[in-house]
Amino acid sequence: MSQVTALSDSDLEGFCLRHGVPARLHRLSVPTPTVPAAAAAVGTEPGRIVKSLVFLARGEPLLVIAAGESRVSYPALASALGVGRKELRFATPDEALLITGYRVGAMPPFGHRAELPTWIDALTVPEAGTVFAGGGGVSALLELEATVLHEVTGGRRAPLTRTEEG
């Protein structure tokens, strides 16, 4: 595969400025590629960290936003999308980079190379209050209100993560 130039925290910051997105970019002194690392870096609970995950359904990319250390349920996502479970898969890191322009571990919820259909987990992502998302760089986080996250992504809410029971 040819080398793809990744977008950065500066690209995300520019997107927010151009589109009037009220968000604050935190450039940190430590990497934040995981929910626990991100929560520790900004002194918040893991449930306030939202992760942006790239999936392919019938070969078409989409973004799923979930919070904390929850895991996306493939059957729940397939059902929400109206596709068979076998028609759905997680994008590889290379595919995610090609599709969005951002590296896994730094993936923001918007500002990608192309706008993606977005689904937001109704079980874990709060509808209000402050959340932190990938900031476009491995040591950057984007702080914004959950209402802004929903508005900018145009995400559809559905229960997409596994419960404790399964």
Side-chain angles (χ1 to χ4, degrees):
M1 175 177 5
S2 63
Q3 282 297 97
V4 175
T5 303
L7 297 174
S8 69
D9 54 350
S10 296
D11 293 303
L12 179 60
E13 192 171 46
F15 175 90
C16 290
L17 289 170
R18 285 190 309 278
H19 293 88
V21 178
R24 179 175 171 216
L25 190 65
H26 294 269
R27 289 181 172 94
L28 305 161
S29 59
V30 295
T32 57
T34 65
V35 167
V42 292
T44 193
E45 60 199 44
R48 289 285 167 182
I49 303 295
V50 296
K51 53 194 172 190
S52 302
L53 308 166
V54 181
F55 285 85
L56 295 166
R58 295 183 179 154
E60 293 299 315
L62 65 128
L63 194 73
V64 173
I65 299 172
E69 295 187 83
S70 62
R71 299 262 181 221
V72 172
S73 163
Y74 282 81
L77 180 56
S79 175
L81 295 170
V83 301
R85 165 60 190 96
K86 292 184 178 181
E87 296 175 294
L88 177 68
R89 70 178 178 81
F90 197 56
T92 67
D94 283 344
E95 288 170 331
L97 176 60
L98 277 172
I99 292 163
T100 68
Y102 289 98
R103 296 189 189 287
V104 170
M107 185 74 61
F110 48 74
H112 307 129
R113 283 207 167 104
E115 202 169 313
L116 294 174
T118 301
W119 289 79
I120 298 174
D121 179 41
L123 301 175
T124 62
V125 178
E127 291 189 63
T130 302
V131 295
F132 295 85
V138 74
S139 297
L141 288 174
L142 189 68
E143 179 181 356
L144 69 165
E145 290 298 312
T147 52
V148 172
L149 173 74
H150 288 81
E151 184 181 314
V152 175
T153 63
R156 294 177 58 184
R157 287 180 68 84
L160 302 173
T161 52
R162 293 187 189 127
T163 61
E164 289 300 315
E165 299 83 51

